[in-house]
Amino acid sequence: MKVTLSQSIGYCDGIKFTLENINKIYKSNSKKRIHVFGHIAHNKKIIDSLNELHLDIVEDYTRFKRLVKKYDKDLDIVIFATNGIDCEIETYLKEQKIKYYDLTCPIIKNMLKEIKSTLKKKIPVAYLGKQNNQTTKAVLSLSTDIKFININNPKDELVSLKEGTYLFSQKSNSQYDISRIIANLKEKQPLIHLCHTPCQKTIDLEDSWYEVTSQEYLITLGSIKSSTVKEIFELSQSLYPDRQHLIFETLEEIKAFEFNNQKKIFLNAGPSYSLEQVEEIVTYLQSL
């Protein structure tokens, strides 16, 4: 079987940054209790490798807030992974002098800094994102004055924005969704300022589908729970309705699938899928 890889395959910078630093922190503090708060990646291999280090990974905000009250500043270390910190939790940790590391993706951290700066200038702020997302929670914890707009149902909320509002966008939002929303918004609210667009990794993953030529199978690697993976998979379906579209999270799932007689495959992958995982899959597919 001939396999063509998207040129955008590999970890995004945020995942790289988080994983590299978690390992460094672990090596320096292996005798302490290390708690990692926040969603790291929709990738079982990554989570399994961190579990092998006996890290306490907590993704639920309510549970984390409950646990943090019991932390011992001399024994416990807290790591915030990838997607931002709730201001209430950060304030509490500082007050209790509990050591913590902020491994928020640099792009998200920069956006949070810009939002704070904009709020200080008394400029209205709105945030276009996904409900129950950790970055969304981090943004909304900055101020009750921030207007949240659910990207999956933005119409009524966008119309009600104040003139001069600075509109920030979640970095994993699809560039096509944002372009469509902004075009519609500019007709009704021309004085709204768009401050953040998708990160380059999201753009590259979406644009990589234009590398497709004559491949019969278009495969997306990653978990459908990932909003980015879901978006790039649905984009491939809309661009090439006459091809066969598949999504797999693991090599085992691929091995269980019957590929019939098709000989050409195009592979794309979500931002938390490693090159090593992809290479393992390519080796298997080429053997068919």
Side-chain angles (χ1 to χ4, degrees), residues 182-238:
I182 295 304
N184 182 55
L185 178 63
K186 287 297 184 181
E187 292 179 5
K188 301 166 184 175
Q189 296 276 31
L191 297 180
I192 300 297
H193 305 278
L194 179 63
C195 304
H196 265 259
T197 54
C199 71
Q200 192 58 48
K201 182 67 173 181
T202 301
I203 293 171
D204 290 344
L205 287 171
E206 292 181 334
D207 287 350
S208 64
W209 288 123
Y210 294 101
E211 300 166 20
V212 170
T213 54
S214 60
Q215 294 87 358
E216 296 99 342
Y217 282 112
L218 305 186
I219 296 178
T220 302
L221 300 174
S223 170
I224 196 65
K225 293 178 183 178
S226 162
S227 59
T228 303
V229 170
K230 186 173 183 289
E231 284 163 3
I232 62 174
F233 176 66
E234 291 175 349
L235 179 60
S236 75
Q237 291 176 308
S238 65

Side-chain angles (χ1 to χ4, degrees), residues 3 113 178 195 245 288:
V3 181
K113 183 178 178 181
I178 293 175
C195 304
H245 303 268
L288 297 179

